[in-house]
Amino acid sequence: MISVVLIEDIRDIRIPLAEYLSEQLELRLIVSSESIEDYYAMHSQDNLPDVILLDIGLPGISGLVAIEMLKKRMPNTEIIMLTIHEDADRIFKALQAGASGYLIKNAPLAKIKEAIINVVDGGAPMTPAIARKVIKFFGRKKKIQKKILLQKKNN
């Protein structure tokens, strides 16, 4: 059974998602919290989650800042960002900080469950729009590197 923590400040998202996760036989929701600070007040070092679903725009400590803090305390815990933010800057900051996946909040509940299982199995779940942005970013980076190599060769 995969243990899960949900950190989401919007009540209308947190409660239905927590209820859904609690009903899944493969998952065990151990904490549902509205902020990093609340999570730290509730969590026990003896009961570390396998996966944390983490929002970026949290009150107090932001999800982006929290990733490194959480990974230091729980290096074996996978973090999946669950957010409304689709801009490349936040995506890459989250992945560079240690997030293993990045989902948009409008993802179907079944896809969120699938992502949790996937990340525990070694995957890097992303909604299709996010995956496309990652691919485009690396495609552009590769073109820039080729231009630089060509310029060096011609000089």
Side-chain angles (χ1 to χ4, degrees):
M1 187 172 287
I2 300 169
S3 60
V4 180
V5 163
L6 171 61
I7 305 175
E8 165 61 59
D9 63 319
I10 300 172
R11 187 178 200 281
D12 290 343
I13 294 172
R14 185 181 64 254
I15 291 175
L17 181 53
E19 288 172 358
Y20 173 80
L21 295 172
S22 296
E23 294 167 355
Q24 305 310 301
L25 297 177
E26 306 90 340
L27 309 177
R28 181 173 57 94
L29 182 66
I30 55 177
V31 173
S32 175
S33 174
E34 62 186 36
S35 70
I36 297 298
E37 294 85 348
D38 287 347
Y39 170 67
Y40 279 141
M42 289 189 256
H43 105 284
S44 161
Q45 281 296 117
D46 298 331
N47 195 13
L48 300 179
D50 296 311
V51 177
I52 296 176
L53 290 174
L54 179 62
D55 185 18
I56 286 180
L58 296 169
I61 299 171
S62 80
L64 283 177
V65 171
I67 297 167
E68 288 187 47
M69 295 168 48
L70 293 164
K71 290 301 276 185
K72 281 182 186 173
R73 287 186 180 199
M74 302 172 255
N76 297 322
T77 296
E78 302 291 348
I79 298 174
I80 299 173
M81 304 312 291
L82 184 62
T83 182
I84 60 167
H85 300 288
E86 297 185 57
D87 58 287
D89 186 50
R90 284 190 180 105
I91 295 166
F92 289 107
K93 282 182 180 175
L95 296 174
Q96 287 172 336
S100 300
Y102 200 102
L103 303 176
I104 301 304
K105 286 182 184 178
N106 66 2
L109 294 174
K111 290 290 184 189
I112 294 171
K113 174 185 173 181
E114 183 181 307
I116 293 168
I117 294 167
N118 181 268
V119 78
V120 169
D121 289 339
M126 294 180 207
T127 51
I130 299 302
R132 175 66 68 184
K133 287 180 188 222
V134 171
I135 289 167
K136 281 183 180 179
F137 173 81
F138 286 109
R140 270 182 287 182
K141 193 171 182 175
K142 194 173 184 177
K143 285 179 186 176
I144 291 168
Q145 289 172 339
K146 282 182 182 180
K147 280 184 181 179
I148 292 169
L149 285 173
L150 261 169
Q151 287 174 348
K152 285 182 180 179
K153 208 178 210 184
N154 292 333
N155 288 335

